[in-house]
Amino acid sequence: MDNKQIQLAANSNPDHIIGYRNNQAITLKALCQRAYMWKTYLEKREESKFALYVEDTLEFIAVLVAGLQAGKTFYLPSNPLPATAESLAKYVDGFIGLFPQEFSPVLLPMIGTDKSAPAVKLAVEKLKEVFVFTSGSTGEPQAIPKRINQLITEVQILERTFGNNLHNQKLYATVSHNHIYGLLFKVFWPLYTGRPIQAESLNWPEELAAVSEKGNFILVSSPAHLKRFAQSDLLGSVKGKITAIFSSGAPLDRDTALSIAQFLGHAPYEVYGSSETGGIAWRQRTAGNPESWTPLKGVQWRINQENSTLEIQSPHLYDSNWLQMADIIVPEGENRFLLKGRVDRIVKIEEKRVSLTAIEKALLASNLVKDSKVILVDMPETKRQRSAAFVVLNAEGKRFILGNGRLALNRFLRQKLSTAFEPVTLPKIWRYIDALPINRQGKTTYANLLALLKQE
């Protein structure tokens, strides 16, 4: 399909239902009118680069398309926390959405509403690029440019791979559109196909059960949400209603995948990728299916012989160069591979990507800590993973804990971290020790730290 056709087939029908908000149908005309008002408003603004964080997906689409047509550039951070907004200052000169007031964000009601306004066509073929963010090896967020034609190329491949059985069903999501996964699956893919979009995200299993009463639908989700869903005893209530489930953002554990497959009759489509690469490969696991991944159409891959990491060449990349990943792989079968861990210290906790090194550096910056190590540990009671912090206090830190106690110090350090890290990534376990344990090579190992936990 060439770019001239990537405007939405629905553009020829202003009464086409583009999505739903609060159970109310939103027509293409209404969304285009909203986009026109945003375009008119943003054209009057002097700022050229905006950070954008809007939770309502339909409003996000209106702002994004209108702003790009007005010549603005958008950066899409993963959260609106104060430290995130502060770090965006080197990229942007304006903020739109749920950012702290000290950054003077443009709030959504400011542009007003006018049902008589003309409509901006939701054409995307002339739009240039947006920037999504990820964490680098130092833990500092890196802005990743994504050309619109890159995103369109990817959704064309998604439609050819998965679209045959999806029809024109509603799409519900538990993930954010400010992440590349959500941007593709709950914004550009449904826009490209005309499938209705839900403005609100689902957060709880009970919400999923409620929407299942309104007919068949597609679910775009994450391993953390799917695990809660599978453990909620609500699978039976949605049987026959979910046409397809997509999962990405982190590995989906096998037990959850098989449980969903057993109850619903089909397993989730798991998509492996990253902010830098977009989609790389997919799999659908049942009791008899392999654990290996099949590359998406057009993705070429090879193994780096020095460290067994994956290298890819893909139409989803910004250029045609080979890109080395931090994922260790083992080939299996014809044109498939297994994932065997990572070579860096970037981890995902409940789909939130975080650098353990960055948490350690932030603890040192508190002026109470002499040394620290943060690791990821399994929590048997919840069957989830959380971070654990092993902290060596300096003299000031020792005075603090003597005068205020361990719980007060825990709260103080968590508060310091909370301006830069998502709540779910903050250390759940705190250990204050005289020195970090080291082995004969003078290194602090994961096993050394786990041993400290087992001693208590």
Side-chain angles (χ1 to χ4, degrees):
M1 181 173 290
D2 62 42
N3 280 348
K4 291 182 180 179
Q5 294 174 289
I6 306 170
Q7 296 185 23
L8 291 178
N11 268 322
S12 60
N13 179 11
D15 295 323
H16 173 80
I17 297 176
I18 199 71
Y20 294 83
R21 178 186 291 118
N22 296 327
N23 297 321
Q24 298 296 315
I26 305 298
T27 64
L28 178 67
K29 179 180 179 181
L31 184 61
C32 290
Q33 287 175 325
R34 187 68 171 169
Y36 172 83
M37 299 188 71
W38 270 110
K39 182 173 182 289
T40 302
Y41 175 81
L42 291 173
E43 284 175 337
K44 299 175 183 177
R45 302 281 301 209
E46 295 182 356
E47 300 95 332
S48 62
K49 298 179 180 180
F50 285 92
L52 174 61
Y53 193 89
V54 176
E55 292 183 338
D56 183 299
T57 300
L58 292 174
E59 188 76 353
F60 172 85
I61 292 169
V63 179
L64 182 70
V65 174
L68 290 173
Q69 290 185 0
K72 307 299 182 182
T73 299
F74 286 115
Y75 289 76
L76 310 179
S78 61
N79 63 68
L81 293 171
T84 300
E86 187 69 36
S87 69
L88 287 166
K90 61 184 175 184
Y91 299 107
V92 306
D93 49 12
F95 293 82
I96 298 176
L98 302 176
F99 295 98
Q101 287 302 306
E102 58 264 35
F103 296 93
S104 302
V106 176
L107 300 178
L108 303 189
M110 289 181 62
I111 68 165
T113 57
D114 183 0
K115 293 184 178 181
S116 65
V120 166
K121 203 170 188 180
L122 291 186
V124 297
E125 74 276 6
K126 295 182 180 179
L127 304 185
K128 295 182 179 179
E129 64 185 12
V130 296
F131 289 81
V132 296
F133 281 85
T134 187
S135 297
S137 60
T138 63
E140 292 293 325
Q142 300 295 315
I144 309 296
K146 291 289 178 180
R147 288 193 298 265
I148 300 302
N149 62 2
Q150 273 181 271
L151 302 176
I152 294 300
T153 296
E154 185 158 358
V155 299
Q156 289 174 329
I157 291 173
L158 293 177
E159 181 65 15
R160 287 201 294 268
T161 305
F162 305 112
N164 285 342
N165 298 318
L166 301 184
H167 309 298
N168 193 37
Q169 294 174 1
K170 291 182 185 178
L171 185 148
Y172 291 94
T174 68
V175 298
S176 169
H177 45 243
N178 270 51
H179 184 271
I180 185 62
Y181 171 43
L183 186 65
L184 285 164
F185 276 73
K186 67 184 290 192
V187 174
F188 279 95
W189 192 9
L191 280 180
Y192 171 74
T193 59
R195 296 188 184 102
I197 301 165
Q198 187 70 21
E200 304 90 357
S201 294
L202 302 178
N203 295 307
W204 305 103
E206 293 76 13
E207 294 177 312
L208 192 59
V211 300
S212 70
E213 299 175 359
K214 302 170 185 176
N216 293 354
F217 62 95
I218 303 159
L219 178 64
V220 175
S221 193
S222 66
H225 283 92
L226 291 177
K227 180 178 288 187
R228 296 190 188 102
F229 175 45
Q231 296 172 349
S232 68
D233 297 326
L234 291 172
L235 279 175
S237 66
V238 298
K239 186 173 184 179
K241 299 296 182 65
I242 301 182
T243 301
I245 298 176
F246 292 91
S247 176
S248 191
L252 179 66
D253 69 273
R254 183 171 177 81
D255 287 346
T256 298
L258 295 183
S259 177
I260 291 174
Q262 179 181 359
F263 275 90
L264 300 186
H266 54 86
Y269 292 107
E270 300 172 56
V271 180
Y272 158 57
S274 71
S275 297
E276 297 94 334
T277 64
I280 296 174
W282 69 280
R283 68 182 180 186
Q284 190 176 32
R285 287 181 292 176
T286 60
N289 284 352
E291 296 289 305
S292 56
W293 297 85
T294 299
L296 288 166
K297 183 178 176 60
V299 175
Q300 305 297 317
W301 64 280
R302 66 190 185 190
I303 300 176
N304 183 302
Q305 297 302 318
E306 292 184 4
N307 58 12
S308 298
T309 54
L310 174 67
E311 295 181 349
I312 67 164
Q313 190 178 54
S314 166
H316 311 157
L317 295 177
Y318 200 80
D319 54 41
S320 60
N321 296 327
W322 284 88
L323 177 69
Q324 181 172 340
M325 308 288 291
D327 298 297
I328 300 169
I329 66 166
V330 173
E332 182 175 276
E334 184 178 353
N335 197 31
R336 300 197 309 273
F337 57 82
L338 292 166
L339 292 174
K340 293 293 184 179
R342 294 175 65 85
V343 296
D344 61 14
R345 296 192 71 233
I346 303 294
V347 300
K348 286 186 176 180
I349 304 175
E350 299 280 352
E351 284 67 69
K352 301 297 183 181
R353 196 173 186 220
V354 64
S355 166
L356 300 182
T357 301
I359 296 179
E360 292 164 1
K361 290 181 178 180
L363 288 171
L364 292 176
S366 70
N367 298 321
L368 300 179
V369 176
K370 179 181 178 181
D371 203 358
S372 70
K373 201 71 175 176
V374 180
I375 63 173
L376 203 60
V377 297
D378 294 317
M379 306 291 285
E381 64 274 18
T382 61
K383 296 183 180 180
R384 297 190 179 102
Q385 290 184 312
R386 291 291 184 264
S387 58
F390 299 82
V391 178
V392 180
L393 298 174
N394 60 20
E396 185 65 24
K398 291 177 181 178
R399 284 192 290 269
F400 187 103
I401 200 170
L402 285 174
N404 302 279
R406 289 178 49 141
L407 290 179
L409 182 55
N410 289 354
R411 288 193 294 268
F412 178 84
L413 293 176
R414 283 179 62 88
Q415 179 59 37
K416 287 288 186 181
L417 296 176
S418 67
T419 63
F421 302 97
E422 298 274 6
V424 73
T425 67
L426 301 182
K428 180 76 172 178
I429 301 168
W430 295 85
R431 295 294 182 268
Y432 299 101
I433 54 182
D434 294 330
L436 293 175
I438 58 174
N439 61 15
R440 290 183 178 180
Q441 288 74 41
K443 295 182 179 180
T444 300
T445 67
Y446 185 81
N448 293 150
L449 297 172
L450 281 184
L452 290 180
L453 294 180
K454 294 178 180 178
Q455 291 171 8
E456 300 184 15

